[in-house]
Amino acid sequence: MGHLNLPSSKKLGKQWKLLDLITAFFFGIVILFFLFVFTPLGDPLAASGRQTLLRASASDPRQRKKLIVSLEETTNGGQMIDVCPSEYVDYMPCEDPKRNSQLSREMNFYRERHCPLPEDSPICLIPPPQGYKVPVHWPQSLHKIWHSNMPYNKIADRKGHQGWMKIEGEYFIFPGGGTMFPDGAVQYIEKLKQYIPIAGGVLRTALDMGCGVASFGGYLLSENIMALSFAPRDSHKSQIQFALERGVPAFVAMLGTRRLPFPAFSFDLVHCSRCLIPFTAYNASYFIEVDRILRPGGYVVISGPPVQWAKQDKEWADLQAVARSLCYELIAVDGNTVIWKKPTGDACLPNRNEFGIDICEESDDPSDISVGAIPKWPKRLTKAPTRVTQIKNGLDVFEADARRWARRVSYYKDSLRLKLGTTAVRNVMDMNAFFGGFAAALASDPVWVMNVVPPHKPSTLDVIYDRGLIGVYHDWCEPFSTYPRTYDFLHVSSLESLIKDSTSGKQSDLCHQPIFLDMLSGQGDN
């Protein structure tokens, strides 16, 4: 019989060691798989993977939309969030013309903000328009935007001869004109410089009412004046959306039956260029609202009707009478433009006058306290304003907040490698702004920041304006009044505090709607 050639014990030992390693490696992979899939250990990795997918597909909105739907399906217990119908491409829940058209016309109530009940709010992902592209980067966006991102020709057709905008190939072009300055905002601003200190840092915050496509606010930026422009969602379809696509600070609002969402003494300059606001109507309530939000020593500029306008002699006389009754100093009347300066003291304020204007109660506006001296820009950005004393230990908190956000923004840029500080990010929102420290840390970046202060939080928006920054009050239980795809970057600190009751620490029963985050543009992956 032949002999079997058995391997030596030494060779057999080596083979078993190799098999053991392969088997252990295999079982290790299986164990890791189950750990990552069926335990929370895999959550950070999954989140990182989702962000990578979204970033990689951000340049293709249709692919990005498919990925978001797929991810929502897998991360919401199998409940899929549908894509909205195509007609919802510019949907704003609280600015829905179909619903609002059924409301009263008195004082333009129907054009104000009216939010639906939670059960009437569709929960779906708003689609981009066909052919949507990553927006043109700032500063080129001030002058041109993609036509496919906002394929609405109405303003270009009606206002093109006034220099608002026109179509050139695949772009909308913005020459910088307006109804009252068809030759361009630059020339118009130069005219205003003859009468008010636009240069030099005296003026920093401005409000442009009835702004059109916001060319006035856009060109004030080169003067280091931060103008917040607003207009209602009206027959000039998407005028605010055009402004935001250009990278100019703007939001949808209406001066009607309610106060604007700003504290007293917010703006250094209030501007109206053919805004058609009836300032003297309803017992001069609209001019009084302008007076409320204008700083002592601030300027009001009104161009267009009724200023020396044909067949509006009475309206023009009434407007001058209201300004006199509030002790405003007439600086100039130049053609159809009038400029007034608000008094710095209250010695001239009447108890009553021909318009029946009364002095407000001290409790009528809790932010209406001493503003104190405001330094010129940019010193006012870093100096603690008088109004920080509304917060306990306000001065110390202000300084600590400034230091904290300087460190955090540096970390965002260096360690997290976010796109802050690059031309990829222009429109930014801070959803829980407090003293505006996040925005202040970005002051040298090519961005503008909408600082949002929720009403149940400390009323610090006045401090934000004293610093030369801009923002609004807003309750995040409701949708924000802006078009979809508005912002390139959304930032929120202390997210839980937005949905919890400030006294009990529990989730608020008053807020049943989700926080609406359909404001990101196609490039917003942060």
Side-chain angles (χ1 to χ4, degrees):
M1 295 178 61
H3 296 281
L4 293 174
N5 292 322
L6 295 175
S8 67
S9 60
K10 187 175 182 180
K11 289 183 179 180
L12 186 62
K14 287 183 178 180
Q15 288 182 2
W16 276 110
K17 287 181 180 179
L18 181 61
L19 288 173
D20 288 342
L21 289 173
I22 293 173
T23 303
F25 179 76
F26 174 78
F27 278 104
I29 291 176
V30 172
I31 292 171
L32 286 174
F33 173 80
F34 278 93
L35 285 173
F36 279 122
V37 172
F38 297 105
T39 74
L41 291 175
D43 292 349
L45 183 62
S48 174
R50 285 195 291 270
Q51 288 299 319
T52 301
L53 284 172
L54 291 177
R55 281 196 291 268
S57 60
S59 59
D60 186 346
R62 288 171 296 180
Q63 181 65 16
R64 183 175 185 272
K65 179 178 66 177
K66 293 177 182 178
L67 281 169
I68 291 175
V69 172
S70 176
L71 292 170
E72 291 289 353
E73 183 177 10
T74 60
T75 57
N76 285 281
Q79 180 181 358
M80 183 174 178
I81 298 179
D82 294 327
V83 178
C84 301
S86 58
E87 61 266 24
Y88 278 67
V89 66
D90 293 322
Y91 176 64
M92 291 185 289
C94 301
E95 309 284 346
D96 187 349
K98 292 182 180 179
R99 184 180 64 256
N100 292 2
S101 64
Q102 307 301 314
L103 303 175
S104 170
R105 260 56 175 174
E106 181 69 15
M107 294 184 71
N108 281 315
F109 177 75
Y110 76 108
R111 291 168 74 180
E112 292 184 300
R113 170 185 170 86
H114 302 286
C115 296
L117 296 173
E119 57 268 24
D120 297 328
S121 301
I123 303 300
C124 56
L125 297 173
I126 294 179
Q130 188 69 28
Y132 181 80
K133 302 177 182 180
V134 171
V136 176
H137 288 178
W138 181 266
Q140 290 78 18
S141 61
L142 179 63
H143 309 290
K144 67 178 183 180
I145 65 172
W146 295 111
H147 180 275
S148 58
N149 285 13
M150 293 181 55
Y152 311 124
N153 300 343
K154 188 173 184 178
I155 298 180
D157 294 340
R158 292 190 176 186
K159 300 291 187 178
H161 67 287
Q162 296 174 349
W164 283 38
M165 55 190 289
K166 58 183 178 179
I167 303 172
E168 283 190 5
E170 56 185 351
Y171 294 103
F172 277 119
I173 304 297
F174 298 87
T179 303
M180 296 306 300
F181 43 93
D183 295 327
V186 173
Q187 185 184 74
Y188 177 68
I189 291 170
E190 288 298 317
K191 182 178 84 168
L192 296 182
K193 282 183 179 180
Q194 301 174 47
Y195 309 109
I196 59 179
I198 286 179
V202 175
L203 304 182
R204 169 61 181 174
T205 56
L207 182 68
D208 189 16
M209 304 186 294
C211 61
V213 294
S215 287
F216 178 72
Y219 282 92
L220 275 180
L221 290 168
S222 62
E223 303 287 348
N224 281 323
I225 294 178
M226 182 65 72
L228 180 55
S229 303
F230 79 85
R233 180 169 184 157
D234 62 3
S235 59
H236 291 322
K237 185 177 178 68
S238 300
Q239 56 184 323
I240 292 299
Q241 193 174 14
F242 281 114
L244 291 163
E245 186 79 6
R246 298 175 71 186
V248 179
F251 76 116
V252 176
M254 181 71 197
L255 190 55
T257 66
R258 307 168 188 164
R259 287 176 169 175
L260 294 171
F262 312 116
F265 309 153
S266 292
F267 296 96
D268 306 318
L269 170 66
V270 175
H271 175 260
C272 157
S273 175
R274 198 179 173 84
C275 64
L276 303 180
I277 294 173
F279 289 105
T280 62
Y282 308 105
N283 201 34
S285 60
Y286 295 145
F287 201 101
I288 293 171
E289 175 63 356
V290 169
D291 178 75
R292 183 185 72 85
I293 61 178
L294 185 65
R295 289 185 181 279
Y299 295 87
V300 176
V301 177
I302 300 176
S303 294
V307 181
Q308 298 195 136
W309 205 262
K311 300 181 180 180
Q312 293 200 25
D313 293 341
K314 182 182 184 303
E315 291 82 356
W316 171 224
D318 287 346
L319 181 59
Q320 294 177 84
V322 170
R324 285 194 304 269
S325 70
L326 295 174
C327 309
Y328 277 53
E329 176 188 357
L330 178 62
I331 301 298
V333 179
D334 187 337
N336 299 121
T337 299
V338 62
I339 302 172
W340 282 293
K341 183 177 182 180
K342 181 177 177 176
T344 56
D346 58 5
C348 181
L349 288 176
N351 289 322
R352 292 191 66 84
N353 52 62
E354 60 185 295
F355 290 94
I357 300 174
D358 292 325
I359 301 297
C360 296
E361 298 292 334
E362 290 185 2
S363 61
D364 197 51
D365 192 330
S367 65
D368 189 356
I369 66 169
S370 175
V371 177
I374 300 293
K376 293 183 179 180
W377 178 264
K379 288 184 178 180
R380 65 190 285 182
L381 179 68
T382 54
K383 181 177 173 58
T386 302
R387 292 197 276 191
V388 299
T389 57
Q390 295 175 94
I391 303 295
K392 184 179 180 180
N393 300 321
L395 293 175
D396 293 335
V397 174
F398 179 88
E399 297 295 340
D401 185 70
R403 291 192 299 269
R404 177 168 59 251
W405 284 111
R407 292 194 303 269
R408 288 185 178 181
V409 168
S410 177
Y411 175 76
Y412 287 172
K413 294 178 179 179
D414 298 338
S415 299
L416 300 184
R417 300 188 183 280
L418 301 183
K419 295 178 181 178
L420 291 168
T422 73
T423 57
V425 175
R426 172 61 184 170
N427 299 354
V428 177
M429 174 183 282
D430 190 1
M431 299 172 64
N432 193 13
F434 192 46
F435 281 149
F438 172 72
L442 295 174
S444 61
D445 288 356
V447 303
W448 69 272
V449 180
M450 177 68 87
N451 293 284
V452 180
V453 175
H456 66 278
K457 307 285 282 185
S459 299
T460 54
L461 189 57
D462 48 10
V463 173
I464 289 172
Y465 274 96
D466 288 349
R467 302 183 73 178
L469 305 171
I470 58 174
V472 294
Y473 290 118
H474 178 70
D475 184 350
W476 283 114
C477 291
E478 298 179 346
F480 194 82
S481 281
T482 194
Y483 286 90
R485 304 172 301 280
T486 287
Y487 291 95
D488 306 316
F489 193 104
L490 296 177
H491 176 263
V492 57
S493 175
S494 303
L495 177 62
E496 288 188 353
S497 70
L498 296 182
I499 59 176
K500 286 186 176 180
D501 185 89
S502 58
T503 54
S504 67
K506 299 180 180 179
Q507 184 164 334
S508 174
D509 294 331
L510 300 176
C511 187
H512 298 291
Q513 296 200 119
I515 294 177
F516 285 73
L517 297 183
D518 61 356
M519 300 178 287
L520 282 174
S521 70
Q523 67 188 39
D525 56 0
N526 298 305

